Amino acid sequence: MIGRLNHIAIAVPDLEEATKIYRDTLGAKVSEPVPLPEHGVTTVFVDLPNTKIELIEPLGGQSPIAAFIEKHPKGGMHHLCYEVDDIYEARDRMVELGATIVGTGEPSIGAHDKPVIFMHPKDFAGTLIELCLLYTSPSPRDLSTSRMPSSA
Ligand code: CO
């Protein structure tokens, strides 16, 4: 069902410092910071030839990744994102197989204005999994804008 690895997300306490590591030390191409207040994070995307790294820093007092940063003060891998052809079909399959979808259970709009769902790490070898829809026109369905989950 899953396709390409879309990105690996790394939660960091200091986005500027993490951006410097990727840009200056590792010599990668990095984006400008993008604040996503509705998800409680600011993101920087690192472009690699075969995938992306999403650096995420808590934004605001209610950030869903604040607890993660507390547990991992220097930052750490937060989730993996895989591409799927049909986010609703993927969601239905996950529900049918008994996996726990984080949040409302409905796809929300992720960092690239595409619908995403997050699946609980307890069902996926201890790793928070994001599934994202790519390469399709916007869905006619009414998408909720639930928050990025705080688990993992
Ligand atoms: Co992500």
mmCIF file of all heavy atoms in Angstrom, residues 5-6 8 18 21 23-24 27 37 43 64 67 75 79 94 104 110 114 125 138-139:
data_model
loop_
_atom_site.group_PDB
_atom_site.id
_atom_site.type_symbol
_atom_site.label_atom_id
_atom_site.label_comp_id
_atom_site.label_asym_id
_atom_site.label_seq_id
_atom_site.Cartn_x
_atom_site.Cartn_y
_atom_site.Cartn_z
ATOM 1 N N LEU A 5 8.995 6.954 0.537
ATOM 2 C CA LEU A 5 9.211 7.704 1.767
ATOM 3 C C LEU A 5 9.162 9.186 1.391
ATOM 4 O O LEU A 5 9.970 9.649 0.596
ATOM 5 C CB LEU A 5 10.584 7.352 2.356
ATOM 6 C CG LEU A 5 11.031 8.166 3.561
ATOM 7 C CD1 LEU A 5 10.173 7.850 4.785
ATOM 8 C CD2 LEU A 5 12.499 7.876 3.873
ATOM 9 N N ASN A 6 8.199 9.909 1.928
ATOM 10 C CA ASN A 6 8.086 11.329 1.591
ATOM 11 C C ASN A 6 9.036 12.177 2.430
ATOM 12 O O ASN A 6 9.731 13.034 1.911
ATOM 13 C CB ASN A 6 6.648 11.806 1.771
ATOM 14 C CG ASN A 6 6.476 13.251 1.361
ATOM 15 O OD1 ASN A 6 6.640 14.157 2.175
ATOM 16 N ND2 ASN A 6 6.206 13.476 0.083
ATOM 17 N N ILE A 8 11.275 12.303 6.546
ATOM 18 C CA ILE A 8 11.548 11.914 7.929
ATOM 19 C C ILE A 8 11.484 13.196 8.735
ATOM 20 O O ILE A 8 12.107 14.196 8.354
ATOM 21 C CB ILE A 8 12.952 11.290 8.065
ATOM 22 C CG1 ILE A 8 13.034 9.998 7.257
ATOM 23 C CG2 ILE A 8 13.300 11.054 9.531
ATOM 24 C CD1 ILE A 8 14.459 9.512 7.035
ATOM 25 N N ALA A 18 19.319 23.783 14.187
ATOM 26 C CA ALA A 18 19.165 22.561 13.395
ATOM 27 C C ALA A 18 19.309 22.867 11.900
ATOM 28 O O ALA A 18 19.897 22.089 11.145
ATOM 29 C CB ALA A 18 17.809 21.917 13.676
ATOM 30 N N ILE A 21 22.914 23.144 11.056
ATOM 31 C CA ILE A 21 23.564 21.826 10.979
ATOM 32 C C ILE A 21 23.350 21.234 9.587
ATOM 33 O O ILE A 21 24.292 20.773 8.942
ATOM 34 C CB ILE A 21 23.004 20.874 12.059
ATOM 35 C CG1 ILE A 21 23.430 21.343 13.451
ATOM 36 C CG2 ILE A 21 23.470 19.433 11.806
ATOM 37 C CD1 ILE A 21 22.707 20.638 14.588
ATOM 38 N N ARG A 23 22.284 22.842 6.764
ATOM 39 C CA ARG A 23 22.752 23.695 5.669
ATOM 40 C C ARG A 23 24.277 23.815 5.659
ATOM 41 O O ARG A 23 24.919 23.595 4.627
ATOM 42 C CB ARG A 23 22.114 25.089 5.802
ATOM 43 C CG ARG A 23 22.422 26.017 4.628
ATOM 44 C CD ARG A 23 21.954 27.435 4.926
ATOM 45 N NE ARG A 23 22.538 27.890 6.188
ATOM 46 C CZ ARG A 23 21.891 28.660 7.077
ATOM 47 N NH1 ARG A 23 20.674 29.083 6.853
ATOM 48 N NH2 ARG A 23 22.482 29.022 8.207
ATOM 49 N N ASP A 24 24.864 24.150 6.825
ATOM 50 C CA ASP A 24 26.287 24.495 6.852
ATOM 51 C C ASP A 24 27.184 23.279 7.083
ATOM 52 O O ASP A 24 28.204 23.137 6.419
ATOM 53 C CB ASP A 24 26.544 25.545 7.935
ATOM 54 C CG ASP A 24 25.690 26.794 7.706
ATOM 55 O OD1 ASP A 24 25.248 27.014 6.555
ATOM 56 O OD2 ASP A 24 25.446 27.532 8.677
ATOM 57 N N GLY A 27 25.715 20.510 4.404
ATOM 58 C CA GLY A 27 25.708 21.020 3.043
ATOM 59 C C GLY A 27 24.447 20.721 2.248
ATOM 60 O O GLY A 27 24.499 20.512 1.034
ATOM 61 N N PRO A 37 0.834 27.575 12.694
ATOM 62 C CA PRO A 37 0.235 27.758 14.028
ATOM 63 C C PRO A 37 -0.863 26.742 14.337
ATOM 64 O O PRO A 37 -1.017 26.317 15.476
ATOM 65 C CB PRO A 37 -0.346 29.177 13.965
ATOM 66 C CG PRO A 37 0.186 29.805 12.734
ATOM 67 C CD PRO A 37 0.707 28.734 11.830
ATOM 68 N N THR A 43 8.241 24.657 10.673
ATOM 69 C CA THR A 43 8.976 23.617 9.956
ATOM 70 C C THR A 43 10.003 24.217 9.000
ATOM 71 O O THR A 43 9.809 25.305 8.457
ATOM 72 C CB THR A 43 8.031 22.735 9.096
ATOM 73 O OG1 THR A 43 7.459 23.553 8.083
ATOM 74 C CG2 THR A 43 6.925 22.130 9.920
ATOM 75 N N PRO A 64 2.026 20.331 20.170
ATOM 76 C CA PRO A 64 1.915 18.889 20.378
ATOM 77 C C PRO A 64 3.274 18.199 20.447
ATOM 78 O O PRO A 64 3.346 17.041 20.834
ATOM 79 C CB PRO A 64 1.125 18.409 19.162
ATOM 80 C CG PRO A 64 1.343 19.451 18.132
ATOM 81 C CD PRO A 64 1.518 20.749 18.871
ATOM 82 N N ALA A 67 6.071 17.940 24.548
ATOM 83 C CA ALA A 67 6.388 16.818 25.446
ATOM 84 C C ALA A 67 7.525 15.974 24.872
ATOM 85 O O ALA A 67 8.379 15.478 25.611
ATOM 86 C CB ALA A 67 5.149 15.960 25.670
ATOM 87 N N GLY A 75 16.526 16.930 20.746
ATOM 88 C CA GLY A 75 15.778 16.621 19.537
ATOM 89 C C GLY A 75 15.876 15.139 19.215
ATOM 90 O O GLY A 75 16.629 14.405 19.858
ATOM 91 N N HIS A 79 8.720 11.314 13.355
ATOM 92 C CA HIS A 79 7.867 10.424 12.564
ATOM 93 C C HIS A 79 8.441 10.197 11.163
ATOM 94 O O HIS A 79 9.332 10.920 10.727
ATOM 95 C CB HIS A 79 6.427 10.957 12.464
ATOM 96 C CG HIS A 79 6.270 12.269 11.762
ATOM 97 N ND1 HIS A 79 6.275 13.474 12.433
ATOM 98 C CD2 HIS A 79 6.081 12.581 10.452
ATOM 99 C CE1 HIS A 79 6.090 14.460 11.564
ATOM 100 N NE2 HIS A 79 5.979 13.953 10.346
ATOM 101 N N MET A 94 -6.544 0.947 7.491
ATOM 102 C CA MET A 94 -5.921 0.991 8.814
ATOM 103 C C MET A 94 -6.955 0.721 9.903
ATOM 104 O O MET A 94 -6.711 -0.035 10.840
ATOM 105 C CB MET A 94 -5.274 2.362 9.050
ATOM 106 C CG MET A 94 -4.043 2.629 8.205
ATOM 107 S SD MET A 94 -2.744 1.405 8.445
ATOM 108 C CE MET A 94 -2.854 0.513 6.923
ATOM 109 N N THR A 104 -8.704 12.897 15.184
ATOM 110 C CA THR A 104 -10.129 12.704 14.901
ATOM 111 C C THR A 104 -10.406 11.461 14.059
ATOM 112 O O THR A 104 -11.543 11.024 13.957
ATOM 113 C CB THR A 104 -10.681 13.895 14.101
ATOM 114 O OG1 THR A 104 -10.005 13.936 12.827
ATOM 115 C CG2 THR A 104 -10.468 15.205 14.820
ATOM 116 N N GLY A 110 -1.691 18.742 5.995
ATOM 117 C CA GLY A 110 -0.321 18.773 6.490
ATOM 118 C C GLY A 110 0.481 19.941 5.947
ATOM 119 O O GLY A 110 -0.068 20.880 5.371
ATOM 120 N N LYS A 114 -1.566 19.082 1.746
ATOM 121 C CA LYS A 114 -2.100 17.793 1.314
ATOM 122 C C LYS A 114 -2.677 17.093 2.536
ATOM 123 O O LYS A 114 -2.160 17.247 3.640
ATOM 124 C CB LYS A 114 -0.982 16.908 0.735
ATOM 125 C CG LYS A 114 -0.219 17.537 -0.389
ATOM 126 C CD LYS A 114 -0.996 17.534 -1.680
ATOM 127 C CE LYS A 114 -0.123 18.031 -2.814
ATOM 128 N NZ LYS A 114 -0.884 18.462 -3.955
ATOM 129 N N ALA A 125 5.657 -0.670 15.143
ATOM 130 C CA ALA A 125 7.045 -0.908 15.539
ATOM 131 C C ALA A 125 7.641 0.284 16.283
ATOM 132 O O ALA A 125 8.818 0.603 16.142
ATOM 133 C CB ALA A 125 7.900 -1.263 14.309
ATOM 134 N N PRO A 138 -6.983 18.316 -5.366
ATOM 135 C CA PRO A 138 -7.576 18.411 -4.033
ATOM 136 C C PRO A 138 -8.853 17.576 -3.923
ATOM 137 O O PRO A 138 -9.625 17.481 -4.870
ATOM 138 C CB PRO A 138 -7.887 19.898 -3.895
ATOM 139 C CG PRO A 138 -6.978 20.570 -4.854
ATOM 140 C CD PRO A 138 -6.762 19.606 -5.986
ATOM 141 N N SER A 139 -9.003 16.955 -2.790
ATOM 142 C CA SER A 139 -10.172 16.108 -2.578
ATOM 143 C C SER A 139 -11.425 16.960 -2.436
ATOM 144 O O SER A 139 -11.395 18.014 -1.818
ATOM 145 C CB SER A 139 -9.980 15.289 -1.311
ATOM 146 O OG SER A 139 -11.202 14.715 -0.942
#
